Amino acid sequence: MNKKITVLPGDGIGAEVVEATIKVLDKVASLYDHQFEYKFADIGGTAIDKHDNPLPQETVDTCRSSDGVLLGAVGGPKWDNLPGNKRPEKGLLGIRKALNLFANLRPVTGHESMTDSSTLRKEVVDNVDLMIIRELTGGLYFGEPQERREVDGEEAAVDTLQYKKSEIERIVRQGFELAKVRRKKLTSVDKANVLESSRLWRETAIEVAKDYPEVELEHMLVDNAAMQLIRDPKQFDVVVTENMFGDILSDEASMLTGSLGMLPSASIGSEAPGLYEPVHGSAPDIAGEGKANPLATMASAAMMLKYSFGMHNEAASIDTAISSVLTNGHRTGDIAKDGEKILSTNEMTDKVLEALK
Ligand code: IPM
Ligand code: MG
């Protein structure tokens, strides 16, 4: 097959982890006789510096004309003091919205050899395997108005949490579809004891559930879910939740695997190409030093092969290579324990390339 991939390196370690991942994709292409053609485009702080815009139209067009998008990370202290609509993060939110990527899949899979990298006890995190589905184009991060205003004669700010029923329906349905092919349990996380948007969320989840009698639906309040994720993560199969809750819970869940540097993600919609990115950020503190852990981006590329290109064996070969590298004890700084040898991004990448078959 011949596939066009738009590459958005973004900021900080984004360029390094993306470069490492392209090497892996190229090896997969040669092993399985595919052709991947890459087009690079700017996003985030890099795009602000070059085009005075975190999401130039050209970037959106390039993404639209491709089969899949691979993104590194955006953001950094250099751009932290810019006004809200000029920040690098606006570029990321903007591309998700422009491509209508409403479903963000964040699988949390523990690797056996890594259980002692987690700050939690081994028996709690052993064989953790859950999927967080985060709604990605609605809720507080997009609601209008979002502004400063004067209230009672003093400075105030307002953000808006709004969901249309159709937006809830399609994401909850996505949750059921995934639960159906996994362990058939869906946990819908909300704050229905306080928020009206959550009450609509819960009602809608109950309605959609009628189409999926084989899947068990449970509702959990977000504060309880945050606690349960740490207390007993193995109770979860698929978790579906709104944008901000999903943002927060997925960072929390990453620690079940030992490091935020391990978590991949897929953002998918109904028509446009999917966007694949690690859950971690741009890590400006180590950017350019060749220390970054490229595994989450590689695993994100595996998700692209699986969800956008239907290349299941190819995707599995990347996941297997990553597992074997970890089993053989290879570690970047973020996942190494005291006294363990620390590999650079390039060294880690070579290990994965060697393991790929
Ligand atoms: C994430 C990130 C982004 C988000 C930021 C960088 C805008 O935290 O992908 O989880 O909040 O969605
Ligand atoms: Mg986040």
Side-chain angles (χ1 to χ4, degrees), residues 25-34 36:
L25 284 170
D26 282 341
K27 173 107 191 237
V28 168
S30 73
L31 286 173
Y32 290 85
D33 208 14
H34 297 304
F36 298 143

Side-chain angles (χ1 to χ4, degrees), residues 74 89 92-93 96 106 134 136 141 247 251 277 279:
V74 300
E89 290 79 5
L92 182 54
L93 296 178
R96 290 169 176 170
R106 299 187 161 183
R134 166 187 178 194
L136 203 59
Y141 295 10
D247 186 19
D251 267 36
E277 55 169 321
V279 174

Side-chain angles (χ1 to χ4, degrees), residues 19-266:
E19 190 194 309
T21 299
I22 289 177
K23 291 183 190 159
V24 169
L25 284 170
D26 282 341
K27 173 107 191 237
V28 168
S30 73
L31 286 173
Y32 290 85
D33 208 14
H34 297 304
Q35 255 168 3
F36 298 143
E37 186 191 313
Y38 309 100
K39 266 201 187 147
F40 286 75
D42 298 317
I43 193 166
T46 314
I48 295 174
D49 289 351
K50 282 204 216 161
H51 314 274
D52 194 32
N53 180 350
L55 183 65
Q57 184 58 40
E58 200 190 320
T59 297
V60 178
D61 295 341
T62 308
C63 289
R64 283 210 177 107
S65 68
S66 61
D67 301 304
V69 181
L70 181 70
L71 182 132
V74 300
K78 179 173 176 195
W79 307 282
D80 269 351
N81 295 320
L82 293 172
N85 62 351
K86 274 274 169 75
R87 291 181 56 106
E89 290 79 5
K90 252 308 194 249
L92 182 54
L93 296 178
I95 192 69
R96 290 169 176 170
K97 193 76 171 178
L99 301 179
N100 199 17
L101 305 171
F102 62 85
N104 183 219
L105 277 43
R106 299 187 161 183
V108 181
T109 326
H111 289 273
E112 212 179 316
S113 62
M114 290 264 307
T115 37
D116 43 8
S117 310
S118 175
T119 49
L120 297 171
R121 282 208 315 271
K122 188 169 164 53
E123 62 270 28
V124 175
V125 295
D126 241 356
N127 299 315
V128 151
D129 176 18
L130 60 98
M131 172 77 89
I132 298 184
I133 304 183
R134 166 187 178 194
E135 199 292 326
L136 203 59
T137 50
L140 263 183
Y141 295 10
F142 291 94
E144 298 284 347
Q146 177 178 64
E147 64 189 22
R148 297 293 176 103
R149 59 168 71 151
E150 204 185 278
V151 174
D152 299 334
E154 62 170 307
E155 190 179 6
V158 57
D159 292 290
T160 303
L161 172 44
Q162 172 182 292
Y163 270 109
K164 290 187 287 190
K165 195 174 170 75
S166 57
E167 293 175 299
I168 302 173
E169 211 218 284
R170 64 183 181 181
I171 189 74
V172 170
R173 202 166 278 287
Q174 185 71 246
F176 278 106
E177 288 293 332
L178 271 162
K180 201 167 85 175
V181 296
R182 291 175 48 105
R183 299 192 303 277
K184 301 189 171 46
K185 180 174 174 192
L186 180 66
T187 306
S188 170
V189 171
D190 62 37
K191 186 73 185 171
N193 54 347
V194 177
L195 299 175
E196 202 51 47
S197 56
S198 280
R199 286 190 276 271
L200 179 61
W201 183 282
R202 195 175 278 216
E203 272 166 45
T204 309
I206 291 170
E207 280 171 33
V208 177
K210 295 193 183 112
D211 295 339
Y212 298 89
E214 70 276 44
V215 176
E216 179 201 341
L217 170 67
E218 117 188 304
H219 306 280
M220 197 178 275
L221 297 173
V222 63
D223 42 359
N224 184 30
M227 184 272 280
Q228 295 294 343
L229 263 177
I230 299 300
R231 192 188 73 83
D232 176 21
K234 280 182 260 185
Q235 70 184 283
F236 297 106
D237 178 15
V238 179
V239 174
V240 65
T241 190
E242 65 93 51
N243 202 341
M244 184 171 72
F245 297 162
D247 186 19
I248 297 170
L249 292 180
S250 57
D251 267 36
E252 185 194 8
S254 74
M255 283 317 292
L256 304 170
T257 71
S259 164
L260 185 55
M262 298 295 297
L263 230 62
S265 88

